[in-house]
Amino acid sequence: LHELYAESRMIPQRGWKGALARTAVTRVEGRGVREADLVIVANPGQTAHIAGLGGPRIGSDAAVDAVPQCRVGPRLVLVENAPDLRRFPQRAEPRGPGTPMRVCFIGQKRSVGQLEALMRAIQPISGAHALLAGGGTAAPDIERLAIEYDRVETIGRVPYDTIPGLYAGCDVVYAVYDTTYGNYRTHFPVKAMEGMAIGVPVIVSEGTWVADFVEREGVGVAVRPSDPDSIRRVLQDLCDDPARAARMGARGRAIVEERLNWAAAANRLVGAYAALTEGTQVSGV
């Protein structure tokens, strides 16, 4: 399970059609979870939802905020879409005082509001510019809007192998989404993990699982998703205080090296499969 299917963009969200569709999807999802020998979940913020479907028991020591230690029960294992440290090396040097700050969004452009808010937010900050890279349904609109703003660079769809090279020039990773969708309130954005891997601060949406995570761990800051003033204040603070930004980045890299990397996630997955074939319980660790 990698999302809350009843709250995804694939399912109608409004009116009687939306109510029927969401009910049907939840029933199908719940049946699958209840009958499964093993449930693999990609987003730690969604483990409570899985438990609510009557799925694998989640022990008292496995609160959502305990992840990524991953002690989530006998039939539930967390396998994040975590970065491969070989692909995402740490930046050689953090940004120094007085040097320009590059804010990067690298991924599918699915919503105009949050990216336009970023474009507007950097206009008063002379030492900041933005890179918006990737395809997606909103990409044409973003391209047109970007022409109206200074210090905004856009790139279309990029091959995955080129993404680490783009990150090499990033000082802040922007992982802000439209939180009216339940998925975006509970997911752990891949780009946030990639930002931690390269050792830079990450900016995420307020009122989400990942907002609690980044602020608790000291690896980034949460903003109001469509509020340019909220985003501007955070960017200005990071631009003016490169030492603070460097501390956030170093902390993020340390977490990725310690436990939030693909090698660790893969070991959990292989261990879960092995436990199934041996007929033993999956520890989730």
Side-chain angles (χ1 to χ4, degrees):
L1 302 172
H2 64 86
E3 64 180 351
L4 305 178
Y5 296 99
E7 298 196 39
S8 74
R9 290 176 179 268
M10 297 182 291
I11 304 300
Q13 297 294 310
R14 297 181 180 180
W16 65 268
K17 289 184 179 180
L20 287 176
R22 294 175 70 180
T23 298
V25 168
T26 299
R27 287 180 177 175
V28 172
E29 185 182 49
R31 180 178 178 180
V33 166
R34 289 189 296 273
E35 295 183 2
D37 294 305
L38 173 69
V39 176
I40 301 166
V41 61
N43 288 296
Q46 294 172 1
T47 55
H49 171 71
I50 305 300
L53 293 173
R57 178 180 59 81
I58 297 179
S60 59
D61 63 341
V64 172
D65 62 0
V67 180
Q69 279 75 12
C70 315
R71 299 176 63 92
V72 290
R75 292 195 297 121
L76 179 65
V77 62
L78 178 70
V79 181
E80 307 99 331
N81 292 312
D84 185 338
L85 291 174
R86 296 169 299 179
R87 285 181 174 267
F88 295 91
Q90 187 173 9
R91 281 196 51 170
E93 294 289 340
R95 181 178 62 89
T99 58
M101 182 178 74
R102 192 183 204 196
V103 185
C104 295
F105 176 95
I106 302 174
Q108 290 290 303
K109 303 182 182 109
R110 297 191 177 97
S111 178
V112 173
Q114 291 69 49
L115 293 178
E116 185 178 14
L118 172 61
M119 297 184 218
R120 294 174 59 188
I122 69 165
Q123 297 310 298
I125 309 173
S126 59
H129 61 285
L131 170 67
L132 311 178
T137 55
D141 293 328
I142 297 299
E143 294 279 346
R144 287 191 291 270
L145 282 169
I147 296 172
E148 303 174 11
Y149 293 96
D150 295 328
R151 304 187 311 282
V152 175
E153 176 188 2
T154 60
I155 301 175
R157 185 176 181 274
V158 292
Y160 184 75
D161 286 344
T162 66
I163 290 176
L166 293 176
Y167 274 126
C170 291
D171 299 298
V172 178
V173 166
Y174 186 77
V176 174
Y177 290 87
D178 178 2
T179 55
T180 58
Y181 287 91
N183 278 319
Y184 292 148
R185 294 193 296 273
T186 58
H187 78 157
F188 198 162
V190 171
K191 58 179 59 63
M193 289 184 269
E194 291 170 346
M196 292 169 62
I198 66 170
V200 302
V202 296
I203 298 178
V204 299
S205 303
E206 283 185 355
T208 61
W209 179 90
V210 72
D212 293 339
F213 174 82
V214 301
E215 296 199 329
R216 181 178 67 248
E217 298 290 349
V219 301
V221 187
V223 299
R224 291 191 292 275
S226 298
D227 183 350
D229 288 336
S230 172
I231 299 165
R232 176 191 56 76
R233 286 192 294 270
V234 167
L235 291 178
Q236 187 71 68
D237 288 346
L238 292 174
C239 189
D240 293 343
D241 194 349
R244 178 186 177 222
R247 289 193 298 271
M248 288 181 175
R251 173 60 180 157
R253 176 68 185 190
I255 291 172
V256 170
E257 289 180 347
E258 176 189 347
R259 63 182 188 263
L260 193 61
N261 57 73
W262 179 240
N267 284 339
R268 263 179 264 132
L269 182 59
V270 172
Y273 286 154
L276 279 180
T277 60
E278 294 166 4
T280 58
Q281 284 193 333
V282 178
S283 69
V285 178

